[in-house]
């Protein structure tokens, strides 16, 4: 609940270091949903009771049932959102949404069709966009904006901790209104967001070992709490993977597990700081019967202009660098995660 110091924590579940999600409720009485708190988008959607029986991804998840909520308000406007990884279609409804114990009357989307890829693999039910209003579909005021206008938060910021080891509990934590010193050491270093109304910053270079190989003339980096991996322009990532001896197969880049200990750091130059990831941070070591598999948590993704080209720093970056998203000063702060 929102303890009276103006911050509201929500514990997150860590699924295989690739999906992090927390619980919210919608409706009265409360209907519970697991959602990704996603800085890469700005809308809230959950599967709908009225989704088509052919939408497998829909009926394998919790679904919102308006007819069981006495605070439901009909809207009915169409909704559709396209991610690089899949798309969601449905219609708008309004109801009481509770996040970290804070209730807001929120317009959200009831999803009636979810693309099987990737949502059949989702351990979460829906997505709660933590992005700016500028990128909200149908001009809907996002949840965090509704919470800020209640003036219950100590600071107009939210922070994200992602654990690196699925066995730890909690698997992560979202704090509305502040940061949680239990999960970082040292000071925050801040980077101003580009003035685009997105959680994106200017990156000044990407280095492998001591050699700046990409983005030397500057490029855009999106800090996306809703993405599992780090993505970059496909051509750059393929050179990066070649440099570390990774090979691409149908499920991403792999390295020989024997070479993992020798892999170089990959460093992202943001603001005045270098943010390095070691092989511990960017290799997903999975032990299988038929032998260990070492996946590299980088993916090539070409985002077309004007949005792209860009790099996306996702969960594996945030797991190493505790991140504060500051709406008051339009900046992002990074501290070393514990
Ligand atoms: C949520 C949609 N996203 C995913 O990348 C995505 C897709 N499909 C599955 C199964 N999982 C995803 N993310 C898991 C996760 C949780 C926290 C960190 O990563 C992205 C789309 C673009 C905006 N940002 C979010």
């Amino acid at each position: 609940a929102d303890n009276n110091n103006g911050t509201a924590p929500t514990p997150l579940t860590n699924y295989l270091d690739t999906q992090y999600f927390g619980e919210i409720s919608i409706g009265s009485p409360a209907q519970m949903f697991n959602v990704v708190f996603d800085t890469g988008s700005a809308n809230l959607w959950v599967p709908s009771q009225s989704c088509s029986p052919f939408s497998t991804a829909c009926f394998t998840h919790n679904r919102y049932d308006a007819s069981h909520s006495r605070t439901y308000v009909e809207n009915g406007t169409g909704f559709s959102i396209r991610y690089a990884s899949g798309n969601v279609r449905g219609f708008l409804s309004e109801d009481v949404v509770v996040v970290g114990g804070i209730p807001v009357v929120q317009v959200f989307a009831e999803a009636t069709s979810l693309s099987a890829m990737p949502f059949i693999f989702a351990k979460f039910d829906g997505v709660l966009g933590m992005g700016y209003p500028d990128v909200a579909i149908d001009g809907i005021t996002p949840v965090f904006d509704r919470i800020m206008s209640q003036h219950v938060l100590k600071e107009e910021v939210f922070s994200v901790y992602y654990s690196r080891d699925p066995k730890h509990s909690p698997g992560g934590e979202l704090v509305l209104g502040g940061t949680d010193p239990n999960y970082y050491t040292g000071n925050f270093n801040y980077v101003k967001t580009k003035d685009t109304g997105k959680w994106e910053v200017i990156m000044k270079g990407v280095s492998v070992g001591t050699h700046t190989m990409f983005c030397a003339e500057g490029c855009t980096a999106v800090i996306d709490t809703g993405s599992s991996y780090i993505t970059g322009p496909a051509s750059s990532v393929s050179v990066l993977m070649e440099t570390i001896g990774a090979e691409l197969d149908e499920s991403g880049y792999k390295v020989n597990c024997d070479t993992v200990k020798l892999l170089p750091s990959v460093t992202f130059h943001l603001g005045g700081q270098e943010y390095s990831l070691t092989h511990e941070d960017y290799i997903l070591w999975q032990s299988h019967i038929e032998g260990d598999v070492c996946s590299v948590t980088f993916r090539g993704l070409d985002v077309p202009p004007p949005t792209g080209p860009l790099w996306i720093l996702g969960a594996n970056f945030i797991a190493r660098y505790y991140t504060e998203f500051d709406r008051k000063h339009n900046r992002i702060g990074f501290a070393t995660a514990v």
Side-chain angles (χ1 to χ4, degrees):
D2 173 17
N3 35 35
N4 55 11
N5 70 3
T7 67
T10 297
L12 304 177
T13 299
N14 170 358
Y15 173 69
L16 298 182
D17 285 357
T18 56
Q19 296 182 34
Y20 296 80
F21 47 86
E23 200 169 55
I24 65 166
S25 82
I26 307 180
S28 319
Q31 299 177 37
M32 310 311 289
F33 297 93
N34 287 315
V35 295
V36 170
F37 293 98
D38 174 24
T39 54
S41 65
N43 289 85
L44 169 60
W45 65 262
V46 292
S48 176
Q49 187 59 34
S50 57
C51 75
S52 68
F54 302 105
S55 174
T56 318
C58 205
F59 66 71
T60 55
H61 288 98
N62 295 308
R63 296 179 296 282
Y64 169 76
D65 187 344
S67 68
H68 286 171
S69 172
R70 60 178 178 273
T71 42
Y72 162 71
V73 175
E74 185 182 355
N75 180 309
T77 308
F79 173 87
S80 96
I81 188 165
R82 291 194 61 76
Y83 304 121
S85 46
N87 55 54
V88 176
R89 270 204 320 282
F91 59 90
L92 302 184
S93 294
E94 184 178 281
D95 207 333
V96 174
V97 174
V98 180
V99 184
I102 304 174
V104 289
V105 175
Q106 183 65 38
V107 176
F108 65 98
E110 295 192 45
T112 50
S113 94
L114 292 174
S115 52
M117 290 300 288
F119 296 112
I120 44 174
F121 300 114
K123 291 297 175 192
F124 51 90
D125 301 310
V127 174
L128 194 155
M130 296 294 285
Y132 281 79
D134 313 50
V135 299
I137 291 167
D138 295 337
I140 299 164
T141 303
V143 170
F144 191 66
D145 290 75
R146 287 235 182 264
I147 291 174
M148 285 193 288
S149 54
Q150 290 182 29
H151 304 297
V152 292
L153 299 180
K154 189 173 75 171
E155 295 173 274
E156 295 188 334
V157 307
F158 60 90
S159 302
V160 177
Y161 161 68
Y162 282 167
S163 78
R164 261 171 271 177
D165 174 350
K167 289 180 280 303
H168 280 177
S169 178
E173 183 188 64
L174 166 77
V175 177
L176 304 179
T179 62
D180 186 341
N182 293 318
Y183 294 123
Y184 63 87
T185 59
N187 301 317
F188 279 94
N189 291 297
Y190 292 97
V191 194
K192 288 291 291 170
T193 56
K194 290 174 71 176
D195 55 358
T196 56
K198 290 181 185 167
W199 290 116
E200 61 181 18
V201 298
I202 301 282
M203 182 153 66
K204 298 178 183 167
V206 178
S207 311
V208 181
T210 57
H211 176 50
T212 299
M213 290 183 74
F214 314 104
C215 178
E217 67 290 342
C219 62
T220 299
V222 173
I223 312 304
D224 185 359
T225 56
S227 287
S228 309
Y229 309 113
I230 288 175
T231 73
S235 57
S236 302
V237 170
S238 74
V239 169
L240 172 54
M241 289 301 108
E242 205 179 308
T243 307
I244 67 170
E247 274 154 24
L248 183 60
D249 71 17
E250 64 288 341
S251 62
Y253 285 99
K254 304 279 191 297
V255 288
N256 178 328
C257 290
D258 302 341
T259 69
V260 165
K261 301 256 178 301
L262 309 173
L263 293 176
S265 299
V266 180
T267 302
F268 301 91
H269 189 161
L270 303 165
Q273 299 293 323
E274 303 281 346
Y275 295 91
S276 283
L277 298 185
T278 67
H279 58 75
E280 308 258 338
D281 303 308
Y282 69 76
I283 295 294
L284 210 52
W285 192 309
Q286 290 157 315
S287 303
H288 295 283
I289 319 273
E290 64 279 1
D292 290 4
V293 174
C294 288
S295 309
V296 190
T297 57
F298 284 82
R299 295 273 165 95
L301 179 68
D302 289 312
V303 178
T307 314
L310 49 78
W311 292 72
I312 298 175
L313 304 183
N316 52 347
F317 185 86
I318 292 162
R320 173 71 194 270
Y321 296 104
Y322 184 97
T323 307
E324 178 185 17
F325 297 86
D326 183 337
R327 281 291 299 273
K328 178 87 174 160
H329 304 100
N330 293 318
R331 64 184 186 175
I332 300 175
F334 299 106
T336 300
V338 300

